[in-house]
Amino acid sequence: MRPWGFESPLSHLLSTSTESGCRRHRLDPHSLPRKTFMSTKPQDDQAPESTDPAPEAAGPGTEETVPDDAAELTTAETPVIEEAQSGDTAEAPRPAAEATVDQQGVRVTMKIEVPSEAVAAEVLKVAQVYRERARIPGFRRGKAPMGMVRQRYKEEIREHVLDHMIPEYVSSELRSRSLEPIHTPVLDNVDFDVDRQLVFTVHFDITPDIEVTGYKELKASRTEPDVSDEALENALADLRERAAKVEPVSEDEGAALNDFVAVSIALYPREGKGKRLAEEERYVHLGNEQAIPGLNSQLEGLNPGDAREFVTQLGDNYPNDLLAGKEVTCKVEVKDVKRRHLPSVDDELAKDLGMETLEELRDKVREDIAEHLEQEAEQDVLRQLLDQVLEANPIEAPESMVEARLDRVVQRAAEDLTRQGMDPREGVDWASFRADNRVPAERSVKEELLLDQIIKAESIAIEDADVLAEIQRLQGGEEASTAAIAAKMREEGSFDAMRQMMARQSALDYLKRHATIESVAGSPAIITEDSPA
């Protein structure tokens, strides 16, 4: 059984490949988002206390307060610094950094040491731009002492130097070593001061070096299930349950097993005297009450307006931990009694469900069961084929891709809880949830990596026209909206994600076409309450 909330790994083979944070790209010093790359703060002893320029003693002859427009230097005028850095083609090449690389499987850790002379040159360049742009009382623009500028804008200069030099040196090292991260490198252990060298560490995952083999001439067995009469009757019974109506019980009938009884409950100490311990108003499903088990028998035969007092032991799962398992006096008053009425399995039920006759309903249900079993048989064949591909190609799943997959599973599970009216922040051990889903997440990532290699090996290509046709099919053939939807998907990046999804489906089809699949007669399938219909 799959852990709750986790999708079948096969479903991920037909899903987007651009997991959050796991898009493949080369780092570029002018394209990397600053705050994304600089995701980790410097070490505590190097961390700036504030990014706001603070007043400093400027020396004799100056009346120093930070002008209101000083902050604009780091926002409106920041691009000037970047232009000066990136556009100076006459600048001599920077001194090379010293880098040490440790690769463990697909995880790469890179420590880079930028020489102090390169840091000093960059600090001076940035400080010069601040000096030319800053408005400091007592000095004309560009005439303030460099020492004052560097002190006043120390943290801003530091940020600009880091934001520019780290991506640049990381990109240089990646290019020189032909390394291609599958996600934005994570920065940590920054050791930097404007007066000495810059030392930092980045770590990232790379795509495993895969030469996929053993994916042709596979073997699988396909069970051809039969829809039994019992499966059909179970499915009809389920439809009957779903069509049940809850209606008030007449006054002379009284509450009975499986009725829903609206009650007002008050709990007191066992002796029946003293301060009220708890009170609540809710429905009790007679025969299924666990918090106050005594209600199951005490409410039988009662009508709206009736009251009863009795001593009972609270269940261990009573919401108040201080009262759980204790004996108390329970005073209960019945407000309403409702009963579920199951419809007969006849033509009327069929009409309520959109059919004309019961026989037509039976045929439709049998057809739906057969379609479901056909899908299960297809999934089972794919599972057998992928098992063999995984066995023939043992690879490591990059941790970043596994974590991204788990993030998506957690997000969807939280959204499901929210739609059900529950708070996903309460009552769920998300750490355990992630642990339970880790193994299927790792398998899903491995399957996608191997399928992507099969796509390359077999030159499987999905053209734009193929993607547009699929979008139109999913839209029910509405050609007019296809172009607009496709344009939106291109903006969001999901157009290429669908292309990759379709390519992976084509790779799965390739495995089936080149496999020997033996049909095996199976015993008649039986659909139960736990089986999807």
Side-chain angles (χ1 to χ4, degrees), residues 303-489:
N303 290 296
D306 291 345
R308 184 163 289 180
E309 179 177 332
F310 58 96
V311 175
T312 187
Q313 182 177 3
L314 300 177
D316 293 335
N317 63 342
Y318 187 78
N320 188 328
D321 293 338
L322 297 177
L323 297 178
K326 302 293 178 60
E327 282 195 343
V328 297
T329 292
C330 178
K331 298 181 180 180
V332 59
E333 180 182 356
V334 176
K335 301 293 186 180
D336 192 15
V337 180
K338 292 185 177 181
R339 184 169 299 162
R340 292 178 74 244
H341 293 278
L342 294 173
S344 300
V345 180
D346 54 18
D347 289 347
E348 291 302 316
L349 174 62
K351 290 178 181 178
D352 288 342
L353 295 174
M355 305 294 167
E356 291 298 325
T357 64
L358 177 59
E359 191 61 31
E360 185 180 346
L361 177 62
R362 284 179 177 275
D363 291 342
K364 181 64 169 67
V365 171
R366 185 182 294 275
E367 179 184 329
D368 289 345
I369 295 174
E371 182 179 348
H372 164 70
L373 295 177
E374 182 72 19
Q375 292 173 354
E376 280 197 339
E378 182 73 8
Q379 293 291 303
D380 184 57
V381 168
L382 293 176
R383 170 65 55 228
Q384 295 176 57
L385 299 178
L386 287 169
D387 283 344
Q388 296 170 67
V389 174
L390 287 168
E391 184 177 358
N393 299 272
I395 62 173
E396 179 184 358
E399 183 63 18
S400 58
M401 295 181 72
V402 175
E403 288 298 322
R405 175 60 48 78
L406 289 171
D407 288 343
R408 190 169 74 178
V409 174
V410 168
Q411 179 65 28
R412 290 185 176 179
E415 290 172 354
D416 288 344
L417 291 175
T418 301
R419 280 192 292 269
Q420 297 171 32
M422 293 181 280
D423 189 342
R425 296 169 297 183
E426 299 179 0
V428 179
D429 185 348
W430 291 111
S432 296
F433 179 87
R434 293 180 74 93
D436 291 341
N437 283 282
R438 175 164 288 275
V439 172
E442 289 175 348
R443 173 171 177 130
S444 296
V445 170
K446 292 178 182 179
E447 288 174 343
E448 291 182 352
L449 290 172
L450 291 173
L451 282 177
D452 289 345
Q453 290 302 312
I454 293 174
I455 291 170
K456 292 180 181 178
E458 300 303 328
S459 301
I460 296 174
I462 304 297
E463 305 298 335
D464 284 5
D466 301 322
V467 182
L468 291 171
E470 178 65 8
I471 295 173
Q472 185 172 339
R473 184 187 69 81
L474 294 174
Q475 293 301 313
E478 296 181 11
E479 186 174 354
S481 60
T482 298
I485 293 173
K488 183 66 175 177
M489 291 176 66

Side-chain angles (χ1 to χ4, degrees), residues 57-72:
T62 60
E63 188 175 339
E64 279 305 328
T65 58
V66 178
D68 293 338
D69 57 358
E72 295 178 4

Side-chain angles (χ1 to χ4, degrees), residues 204-226:
F204 52 87
D205 289 336
I206 59 175
T207 302
D209 187 11
I210 305 171
E211 186 175 344
V212 63
T213 61
Y215 59 90
K216 298 179 181 179
E217 300 181 0
L218 304 176
K219 294 183 179 180
S221 60
R222 177 189 179 89
T223 303
E224 303 295 345
D226 181 28

Side-chain angles (χ1 to χ4, degrees), residues 199-247:
V199 182
F200 62 91
T201 301
V202 293
H203 56 83
F204 52 87
D205 289 336
I206 59 175
T207 302
D209 187 11
I210 305 171
E211 186 175 344
V212 63
T213 61
Y215 59 90
K216 298 179 181 179
E217 300 181 0
L218 304 176
K219 294 183 179 180
S221 60
R222 177 189 179 89
T223 303
E224 303 295 345
D226 181 28
V227 180
S228 68
D229 291 339
E230 185 176 357
L232 178 60
E233 294 305 321
N234 285 338
L236 289 172
D238 182 61
L239 290 175
R240 185 185 181 215
E241 287 284 343
R242 297 180 190 180
K245 297 180 180 179
V246 179
E247 299 175 345

Side-chain angles (χ1 to χ4, degrees), residues 106 121 163 183 192 194 214 241 263 297 307 342 350 370 431 441 518 523:
V106 298
D163 282 2
H183 63 97
F192 172 62
V194 295
E241 287 284 343
V263 295
S297 58
L342 294 173
E518 179 185 4
S523 57

